[in-house]
Amino acid sequence: MTLQIYNTPYKKKQPFVPVNGNNVGMYVCGVTVYDMCHIGHARSLIVFDVISRFLRKKGYNLTYVRNYTDVDDKIIARANSLGRSYKEIAEKYIDEFKIDMDILGVKPADVEPKATEHIAEIIDMVRMLEDKGLAYRAQDGSVYFSVSKFRGYGKLSGRRIEEMIAGARVDVEEQKQDPLDFALWKRSKDGEPWWDSPWSKGRPGWHIECSAMSTHFLGHTLDIHGGGRDLIFPHHENETAQSEGAFGAEFAKYWVHNGFVTIEGEKMSKSLGNFMTIRELTKEVHPEILRLLLISRHYRSPIDFSKDALHASQLALVRFYEMLDRVEKSPLRQGASPLGTVIKTFSENFDEAMCDDFNTAKVIAHLHDLTTEVNRILDNDPAVVSDDIPRLKAAMSEVSEILGILEQDPAPFLETIKRSGISDVGLSGDEIEGLIEQRNAARKARDFKKADEIRDMLKSRGIQLKDSSEGTTWEKV
RNA sequence: GGCGGCAUAGCCAAGUGGUAAGGCGACGGUCUGCAAAACCGUUAUUCUCCGGUUCAAAUCCGGAUGCCGCCUCCA
């Protein structure tokens, strides 16, 4: 199956053909480290985590670069307000970021460069742009990119310069020759970090770091450049202008942009204040539940985040794990394998869906189909052919390796999930077990009235009982 | 004001020219002392609306309406 990727500037899916044979370079814009990450960041990180895992699974020799923006206005503002250095703030939030990624099961990128570690490359690139007449030095020693001198500005985001000027919502800065121009190098004010440069003691503009670092690690043409939708303009547009202006080569072959996480239909963001941090949320819900929610919609569509959506993901995850648990606990038998075909079909569908522009939503549907099939087969014959267990495990480990869900042992995972939230029931586990024993004694005595009373009482407290031949189990609903 | 995206059942959601995946919910059934879970079946003659292209449209084109995003820091 050949991989198709939706390419932002072309607005359609295209077959994925890397620039350099089997070697693939992917650069994804990471985070600005001035605060804790929220669920919107989590989505982007998880989307590209899944993409990178899948590319590797497909046999590409991937180099995945994801940067940290560790010097910027917000970091400086934060540092000043806390009386700390910008460096301390950046380091603190890089550490926090790594903890979050660990919680979410997002694998580290191959290279995670920081802007401040590549000032020399940034300066070289600005100089190159200046030499080519695409950049100019302003009076204060800042350097700006001259948008009007670069042919093709706007091709990524589908805008035209005239239209943007007509829009007239761009800042007019006195230093700029044209309101659309953007800073490559900013002269530092008092108390701000600075580096020496041919123009002024200053610091890099926001966009240039990505151009400089991606080129440094991956060359002039990236196979895939990714980030959130909000980065298309101006960030990625500006990166393109700088890189193509400086090197004369196509900057990125495929542009991949993920949709937002919204809250009641509005973009989750710091400025709107409608955000929830990864850390807060994963204290209450298992990270796999969040992960499943974030991959259960196509990566380009918005996802509306809510307790209900989270709950729906939990139900789905529990359904998958229960099926796996059921298989593991099944008695074994010899004979023909009824699961073989079902598993094979699933694996093929999985690959096909992933090749179709990383359609994880479709993958989840296939996972539901697989679950239904396996349950049906087990309803018919509760014994499992011994060879089918490793087969199913192999198919599932592919799912875990690429999607980063279903990585836990089913039984303990289910135990944890089903008993989470028990604190607001008002009964301890032992008390519940005690009541179950009383009920089972009543059932044995065929005193169903009493048995049902106990069950109804527990139900009213959110405890659902489940009788089976192996005994009675309970869960918090 | 400029540019772009989206609109599919009660809800979430996949589907970009060949006759509507999947999940939740609801209802009926099998199982069960009764439930729960699991499974089976039913649940969109139709994809916001109006026109057009085509043998064929949720999918393409034009228009309307609504929602969202970007144009200022954003994942």
Side-chain angles (χ1 to χ4, degrees), chain A residues 269-469:
Chain A
S269 70
K270 286 276 159 67
S271 41
L272 288 171
N274 60 348
F275 63 92
M276 176 167 251
T277 64
I278 294 168
R279 201 66 59 81
E280 264 178 284
L281 184 69
T282 53
K283 274 181 188 152
E284 285 164 33
V285 309
H286 191 100
E288 282 202 8
I289 295 172
L290 175 60
R291 201 157 165 131
L292 176 60
L293 172 61
L294 295 178
I295 61 172
S296 62
R297 270 68 146 174
H298 188 94
Y299 75 86
R300 279 185 280 117
S301 308
I303 293 180
D304 204 48
F305 180 83
S306 65
K307 284 275 180 241
D308 281 355
L310 219 43
H311 183 65
S313 291
Q314 172 167 335
L315 287 180
L317 197 63
V318 165
R319 185 167 127 89
F320 300 148
Y321 271 113
E322 276 186 330
M323 177 271 286
L324 296 173
D325 189 44
R326 193 177 171 191
V327 171
E328 281 188 7
K329 288 182 173 152
S330 294
L332 299 178
R333 68 171 174 84
Q334 299 301 309
S337 150
L339 285 181
T341 323
V342 171
I343 295 166
K344 186 159 174 279
T345 303
F346 169 76
S347 293
E348 286 163 5
N349 287 340
F350 178 71
D351 182 64
E352 187 180 325
M354 286 303 293
C355 282
D356 182 14
D357 194 29
F358 314 109
N359 196 334
T360 52
K362 214 187 246 177
V363 170
I364 303 306
H366 292 314
L367 216 39
H368 276 292
D369 287 339
L370 174 72
T371 303
T372 302
E373 287 292 319
V374 171
N375 277 324
R376 195 181 56 190
I377 288 165
L378 261 42
D379 273 5
N380 268 324
D381 180 355
V384 172
V385 176
S386 41
D387 289 351
D388 280 344
I389 293 184
R391 271 186 205 139
L392 183 65
K393 282 197 168 161
M396 287 304 106
S397 79
E398 185 140 306
V399 170
S400 333
E401 276 165 35
I402 294 169
L403 302 183
I405 56 168
L406 304 179
E407 288 185 326
Q408 314 296 315
D409 277 342
F413 175 83
L414 289 167
E415 188 87 348
T416 310
I417 291 293
K418 288 182 170 183
R419 302 196 171 188
S420 66
I422 187 190
S423 53
D424 41 66
V425 167
L427 290 170
S428 70
D430 285 351
E431 284 170 320
I432 294 168
E433 299 291 348
L435 287 162
I436 289 173
E437 265 176 51
Q438 284 180 35
R439 172 173 169 269
N440 281 338
R443 287 173 74 208
K444 210 164 185 182
R446 305 196 67 79
D447 183 356
F448 296 120
K449 186 165 176 284
K450 187 182 176 195
D452 290 352
E453 272 171 20
I454 294 172
R455 186 176 61 197
D456 293 345
M457 188 277 280
L458 286 169
K459 178 81 190 255
S460 70
R461 299 204 184 203
I463 300 295
Q464 175 71 58
L465 299 187
K466 197 188 282 189
D467 298 326
S468 76
S469 49

Side-chain angles (χ1 to χ4, degrees), chain A residues 42 58 79 89 98 102 121 253 255 262 272-273 308 323 364 415:
Chain A
K58 290 301 270 184
I89 297 298
K98 286 180 174 165
D102 209 49
E121 289 92 327
K253 226 178 149 186
W255 286 93
T262 61
L272 288 171
D308 281 355
M323 177 271 286
I364 303 306
E415 188 87 348

Side-chain angles (χ1 to χ4, degrees), chain A residues 27 42 52 75 99 123 139 183 205 264 268 283 382-383 393 403:
Chain A
Y27 185 93
S52 67
I75 299 169
I99 293 169
I123 290 174
Q139 280 219 311
E264 285 169 18
M268 177 182 289
K283 274 181 188 152
K393 282 197 168 161
L403 302 183

